[in-house]
Amino acid sequence: MLCCNITVSLLISFPPTIVQLYQPVRNQDWCIPFTVTGNPRPDLHWYHEGKLLEEQQYIRTEIHEITDTEYHGCLQLDIPTHIHNGIYTLVASNEFGEDRGNVSAHFMHIPDVDHSGTGGLGFSCITLKFFLKYGRSSKFGMKGSSSVISNEDDSASPLHHVSNGNNTPSSSEMGPDAVIIGMTKIPVIENPQYFRNPGSMLKSDTFVQHIKRHNILLKRELGEGAFGKVFLAECYNLSPDQEKILVAVKTLKEASESGRADFHREAELLTNLQHEHIVKFYGVCVESDPLIMVFEYMKHGDLNKFLRAHGPDAVLMADGQQSLQVELTQPQMLHIAQQIAAGMVYLASQHFVHRDLATRNCLVGENLLVKIGDFGMSRDVYSTDYYRVGGHTMLPIRWMPPESIMYRRFTTESDVWSLGVVLWEIFTYGKQPWYQLSNNEVIECITQGRVLQRPRTCPKEVYDLMLGCWQREPYMRLNIKEIHNLLQSLAKASPVYLDILG
Ligand code: AMP
């Protein structure tokens, strides 16, 4: 008798069933886990508080495992805040039917109601009140103000204070007032007075070079800065071995008496800052209005624009049109990071606290040479990077550590935090930190101890470095020299091919 085995594969179609739907759990971010069955594969849609959820980069459905007709996955949420709390409804459907399931999610407490008796102010108002009170005479990023050192409370002034290195507020420094964030009453202190070391940055015998106006020939506008326009120019008789060189000139329009004084102090300070990774300052031209500062010209402009121009989006958009548009490689990113860290080691050695380190304030020259090029003046084009408080004060909160946000305390350690954010910017091709959050949410996240996520292209060693910069306690953060050494050895281990970027 003839015997045979026949295997028959049956394809059974059936409507979807949500087998499991759990409350959010933390994986690298947040995940609402689910298991769904169905054949054909069900389409999945989510509703948040009854409203269809538009999936995007930071809220997305991910399927991690498929077994036969069972789909295991997550609604993945990157850095959710209180606005993401609520009921999530999963709808699974195919041509044979649909199933729905609800789950409640709580990621973050709702910003606190007013505890100060002023009538139901939310967190943002309390925060604003705090900044209004303590930011009253600050000049951070104030248009037309180039204050270097002021007799007022200059704790929020953008420029170069010499730190006394004392990061810990003594009880006598604590004012009677407090900010209430959540249930926490935080004593507010005025920023510790940064003493000015006359022997360091502001030497009495500083010789600022004066350049004659007829030696400056403007060529074209490069951009608009906080103080006025920036031009590309030719400068004659500046160096003995070259008749003319290209320079960037920054103009200061309609300077008041105090504005002019600030301008001169800043020029002295810039004259004393000399390092291969700090943009070179040549001198001033003050014969008539506008006042002018002359800097070395950095061919590729600011680093943020440069990173975006060499990121995947720009490369995609330039497809076929601009064949020279190339995506930055990891070794190139390390090379950039290492140079900024070198500049910061120098600034720290001069007891100079930058307060506004960000890629928008770095410049890129030929052969991927990067220098710190701007000392904390906000820009119109980057106005969304700053949080305006109390009228004029603009704070780069996305780059600031908790103690700078809460107490406006700026130190070399707070610069280290910002350097960590700069690394994150580099490895995301110039994304805005916490781009998915509003300013108030950013303040909330940072003060609650959250940190930015590891960018997709970022090696673990570099992310560990970032985490070392983002330790909550300033003294726990990596030292700037350690950061530089680490970046240098990582950069050395992966050589850079510069020619493609010219
Ligand atoms: P800032 O006043 O520094 O905010 O500069 C405004 C614009 O001018 C920015 O977009 C920079 O790209 C450009 N810029 C500033 N300084 C230089 C420089 N030294 N070399 C080339 N471009 C510069």
Side-chain angles (χ1 to χ4, degrees), residues 17 35 40 54 64 86 96 107 191 238 253 272 349 357 411 419 428 435 465 481:
T17 305
T35 302
E54 274 186 40
H64 298 142
F96 297 98
F107 302 105
N191 203 35
L238 197 56
K253 53 191 175 196
N272 289 321
S349 76
L357 182 65
T411 57
L419 181 59
T428 56
Y435 55 89
L465 242 173
K481 278 191 188 147

Side-chain angles (χ1 to χ4, degrees), residues 101 116 130 144 149 254 283:
S116 63
F130 152 60
I149 281 168
E254 298 153 24

